Amino acid sequence: PVIATSHTWENGKNQQSHQDPTIGEALMGEMSDVSRVFFPADAATAVETMRRIYAARGVIGCVVAPKRVSARVFDAAGAARALDEGAAHVEVEAGPDIQIVAIGAYQLAEARRAAARLRERGRRVLVSVIIEPGRLRAPRDEHEARITLADADVARLFAPDLPRVLVSHTRPEPMIGVLRRLDPGPARMRAHGYINRGGTLDVFGMLFANHCTWAHLSASAAEVLGVAVSAFLDEREIAAIEGRGDPGLLRARRA
């Protein structure tokens, strides 16, 4: 196993040398049946990930996990189900207007905060997490096809007609390539992730610098739903994500 934690998304000292997520992106470029990349959402999925990696043979497993304490999302049974398919729903509402999809524990926390804001403004939101993106890709040969989900299973988790906002631990562009089967097109999906902005920043600072806070996700949700950003954010919040206001306002409203 390769456990990639370092200071990615949470650095306070080593700056960009420890903030670059390229190792996960590079290993996802390899065949997913032998190069498995996991983004645990919490402790339970991290434990289940490690159990499965150590039970395998002939496989390189890359686990991208935060060092800091994260909120509990799954119990042991739920974690096993999430690993069985590589993805799971976290917050479910009947007849959702939009789906927010997270890859990474910090990213899931922001997705849930964004969903809470959208619900406050009258929207129904489905929040989902992807633990192993390679399970959802279009298989490139018969070996990879044995571990990837069938089209029907992908559609069950990610309805083709649902507007979608993705927030990823990685850069958004390579992840969109891996998740092509989930992408309904640029008018219906926005993707957030690492955009090569780092420095001596805490978790919130990294999320803000890379446009991955709940407020940035809420603004993208407005775009794919075809409504004004002001439907979900107030003037001061809009000013903050546009670089004209105080980012601390968004930090204060994360609780």
Side-chain angles (χ1 to χ4, degrees):
V2 179
I3 302 174
T5 177
S6 189
H7 300 285
T8 307
W9 289 98
E10 56 193 16
N11 178 54
K13 58 175 183 174
N14 291 332
Q15 300 192 23
Q16 200 137 343
S17 65
H18 282 59
Q19 292 168 343
D20 189 303
T22 297
I23 185 170
E25 297 166 0
L27 288 172
M28 279 190 292
E30 304 299 326
M31 304 307 289
S32 292
D33 56 312
V34 294
S35 178
R36 303 182 66 180
V37 183
F38 299 87
F39 299 86
D42 66 352
T45 48
V47 168
E48 183 64 18
T49 293
M50 298 306 293
R51 188 189 71 78
R52 295 190 183 208
I53 287 176
Y54 276 102
R57 294 292 183 271
V59 173
I60 294 174
C62 176
V63 182
V64 184
K67 293 188 298 183
R68 287 175 170 80
V69 174
S70 299
R72 177 180 176 178
V73 180
F74 296 98
D75 58 17
R81 289 191 295 271
L83 268 293
D84 284 343
E85 296 193 305
H89 298 319
V90 175
E91 297 178 7
V92 179
E93 288 189 273
D97 301 311
I98 187 170
Q99 183 177 27
I100 304 179
V101 182
I103 303 172
Y106 295 140
Q107 289 71 22
L108 177 58
E110 295 303 307
R112 300 183 80 175
R113 292 183 179 108
R117 172 55 65 89
L118 267 60
R119 292 192 189 103
E120 289 174 5
R121 304 300 170 87
R123 296 289 180 167
R124 297 182 302 276
V125 186
L126 173 62
V127 179
S128 306
V129 64
I130 296 174
I131 306 295
E132 188 180 1
R135 299 289 303 282
L136 304 173
R137 75 189 317 150
R140 295 168 287 181
D141 64 18
E142 67 276 14
H143 303 292
E144 203 168 51
R146 297 189 189 115
I147 63 95
T148 55
L149 296 189
D151 289 341
D153 292 322
V154 173
R156 173 173 48 81
L157 289 165
F158 304 95
D161 59 344
L162 199 59
R164 194 164 287 129
V165 175
L166 171 72
V167 56
S168 176
H169 172 96
T170 68
R171 294 175 180 86
E173 295 86 357
M175 189 59 75
I176 284 293
V178 172
L179 301 178
R180 185 177 180 184
R181 290 198 287 172
L182 280 59
D183 186 1
R188 302 281 283 172
M189 182 168 174
R190 295 287 186 277
H192 295 253
Y194 185 74
I195 55 173
N196 299 330
R197 294 184 179 179
T200 306
L201 302 166
D202 60 8
V203 173
F204 173 77
M206 285 294 292
L207 290 165
F208 182 84
N210 289 279
H211 302 170
C212 290
T213 71
W214 66 269
H216 291 92
L217 304 184
S218 298
S220 285
E223 293 176 0
V224 297
L225 287 168
V227 300
V229 175
S230 58
F232 300 141
L233 301 177
D234 64 31
E235 291 184 3
R236 292 193 300 163
E237 291 164 344
I238 293 171
I241 65 172
E242 291 180 347
R244 301 181 288 105
D246 179 12
L249 176 70
L250 307 183
R251 183 197 297 266
R253 297 195 180 185
R254 292 167 77 234

